[in-house]
């Protein structure tokens, strides 16, 4: 080893000793490391941001954000924080005449501004949880088709068998962490609601985000539309599910198996929660 290399090595050792000695002699406690927010990345800009519920913040965009995201001139100039907006929508929510209408108001809010929606839920969870989930969600499921606003989550039918492994790539997010899936066969105490049972995964995942802190783009509500044995739904012109009796036996389990394999092929680390399956199906599925 050269003399120059030895000198550099010795100099490094002296420096490390000096730093360690200074720390031992110091009486001032070091402050904890501060966590700074990480930037969110998006290729969207302009009206695409405003029309995307995941990115839209209403008037809460700062001037810097308005310039970077090309929003200048597309929204009113006043800056209104999420907290101020939350107070306003809470007043509007309180003016709705019943819980069903309150749920519809919250659905519309979620469809246009998820940042504001979840801020409202987090800070008013005792008031909003019964509106988003039980008991109100039962009525919402019964009227799912009649009150349909926009699609949310994914739907798999018997006619999608053989295609599910490619269908899951229609979902735009690569890092799904939690999936709640139902086949609508035993929704609360209401029985077979078929595709209308989709209100259960949607409501439950809203609470997982509000109470568990799971980002909304990392959850996925799913309905396995295997048909329905409810004649009222089959005759309902506003029922948007498959108007056939439920799959049974081997065909049913094969469809569930294909769905599970497709999900884990794309999102191998996600959690899949089965919700409101009838007991005669739920027990064998758990054993699989």
């Amino acid at each position: 080893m050269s003399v120059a290399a030895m000198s550099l090595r010795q100099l490094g050792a002296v420096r490390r000793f000096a730093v360690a000695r200074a720390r031992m002699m110091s009486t001032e406690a070091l402050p904890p490391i501060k966590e700074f927010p990480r930037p969110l990345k998006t290729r969207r800009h302009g009206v695409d941001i405003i029309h995307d519920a995941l990115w839209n913040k209403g008037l809460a965009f700062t001037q810097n954000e308005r310039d970077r995201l090309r929003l200048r001139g597309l929204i009113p100039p006043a800056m209104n924080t999420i907290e101020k907006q939350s107070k306003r929508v809470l007043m509007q929510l309180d003016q709705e005449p019943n819980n069903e209408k309150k749920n519809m108001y919250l659905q519309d809010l979620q469809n246009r501004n998820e940042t504001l929606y979840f801020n409202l839920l987090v800070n008013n969870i005792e008031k909003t949880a019964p509106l988003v989930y039980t008991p109100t969600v039962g009525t919402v499921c019964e009227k799912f088709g009649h009150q349909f606003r926009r699609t949310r989550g994914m739907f798999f039918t018997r006619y999608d068998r053989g295609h599910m492994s490619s269908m899951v790539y229609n979902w735009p997010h690569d890092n799904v962490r939690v999936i709640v899936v139902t086949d609508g066969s035993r929704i609360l105490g209401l029985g077979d609601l078929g595709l209308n049972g989709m209100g259960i995964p949607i409501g439950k995942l809203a609470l997982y985000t509000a109470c568990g802190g799971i980002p909304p783009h990392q959850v996925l509500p799913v309905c396995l539309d295997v048909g329905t044995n409810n004649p009222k739904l089959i005759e309902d012109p506003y029922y948007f599910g498959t108007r056939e009796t439920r799959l049974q036996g081997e065909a049913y389990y094969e469809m569930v198996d294909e769905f599970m394999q497709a999900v884990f092929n794309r999102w191998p680390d996600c959690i899949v929660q089965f919700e409101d399956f009838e007991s005669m199906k739920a027990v064998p599925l758990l054993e699989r």
Side-chain angles (χ1 to χ4, degrees):
M1 184 179 291
S2 67
V3 174
M6 287 291 293
S7 299
L8 289 173
R9 184 176 181 181
Q10 291 172 347
L11 181 61
V14 171
R15 181 178 180 277
R16 289 192 295 273
F17 175 78
V19 171
R21 186 170 183 272
R23 287 177 176 172
M24 292 176 63
M25 296 179 64
S26 174
T27 58
E28 182 180 357
L30 293 176
I33 298 176
K34 183 178 180 180
E35 292 288 338
F36 293 91
R38 298 181 181 182
L40 296 176
K41 299 179 181 179
T42 179
R43 296 181 180 179
R44 296 179 179 272
H45 60 269
V47 294
D48 289 337
I49 291 285
I50 298 172
H51 295 161
D52 188 332
L54 278 172
W55 290 99
N56 182 32
K57 298 195 296 183
L59 299 181
F61 292 102
T62 65
Q63 196 59 55
N64 183 42
E65 289 173 330
R66 297 180 189 211
D67 288 337
R68 287 191 298 108
L69 298 173
R70 305 180 195 175
L71 296 174
R72 185 185 285 267
L74 298 180
I75 55 179
M79 196 276 185
N80 207 247
T81 65
I82 288 294
E83 290 71 25
K84 288 184 179 179
Q85 293 182 67
S86 184
K87 290 181 181 179
R88 174 170 53 84
V89 298
L90 187 59
M91 288 191 299
Q92 295 173 348
L93 181 66
D94 288 338
Q95 293 173 4
E96 296 295 338
N98 54 56
N99 286 352
E100 182 182 340
K101 294 293 184 181
K102 293 178 191 293
N103 176 279
M104 297 305 301
Y105 179 88
L106 290 172
Q107 283 191 49
D108 288 339
L109 178 61
Q110 184 181 19
N111 289 338
R112 68 177 185 270
N113 187 336
E114 294 206 12
T115 301
L116 180 55
Y117 172 77
F118 284 112
N119 180 275
L120 183 70
L121 262 60
V122 168
N123 293 312
N124 303 275
I125 192 64
E126 292 185 0
K127 173 181 287 189
T128 56
L131 303 176
V132 171
Y133 202 55
T134 56
T136 310
V137 72
T139 303
V140 172
C141 287
E142 288 183 305
K143 300 181 179 180
F144 186 83
H146 291 255
Q147 298 176 340
F148 187 81
R149 296 290 197 276
R150 57 164 285 184
T151 187
R152 182 173 293 276
M154 292 196 71
F155 303 84
F156 297 85
T157 76
R158 67 182 72 192
Y159 301 108
D160 296 320
R161 288 178 292 178
H163 303 284
M164 294 184 190
S165 61
S166 59
M167 285 175 62
V168 291
Y169 287 91
N170 292 341
W171 191 249
H173 304 297
D174 293 326
N175 54 345
V176 171
R177 291 170 53 191
V178 181
I179 294 173
V180 175
V181 56
T182 186
D183 69 352
S185 57
R186 191 192 63 80
I187 299 301
L188 304 175
L190 303 173
D192 181 357
L193 293 186
L195 180 139
N196 288 358
M198 183 58 150
I200 293 294
I202 292 172
K204 177 148 286 190
L205 286 171
L207 294 184
Y208 285 177
T209 294
C211 301
I214 304 172
H217 65 282
Q218 294 182 353
V219 302
L220 173 58
V222 171
C223 177
L224 294 180
D225 180 10
V226 298
T228 178
N229 294 334
N230 187 335
K232 292 183 179 179
L233 293 179
I234 293 178
E235 297 171 1
D236 186 347
Y238 297 107
Y239 178 66
F240 300 135
T242 303
R243 297 173 185 272
E244 298 180 39
T245 57
R246 287 183 168 273
L247 284 179
Q248 301 293 339
E250 183 178 350
Y252 175 88
Y253 292 109
E254 284 184 357
M255 179 173 169
V256 177
D257 288 344
E258 181 180 352
F259 164 74
M260 293 295 288
Q261 291 175 27
V263 162
F264 285 115
N265 282 340
R266 184 174 183 195
W267 303 292
D269 298 323
C270 75
I271 296 171
V272 179
Q273 176 181 336
F274 282 55
E275 191 71 27
D276 286 358
F277 283 67
E278 60 182 333
S279 299
M280 62 182 297
K281 296 291 196 311
V283 174
L285 285 172
L286 286 174
E287 292 177 348
R288 293 172 82 88

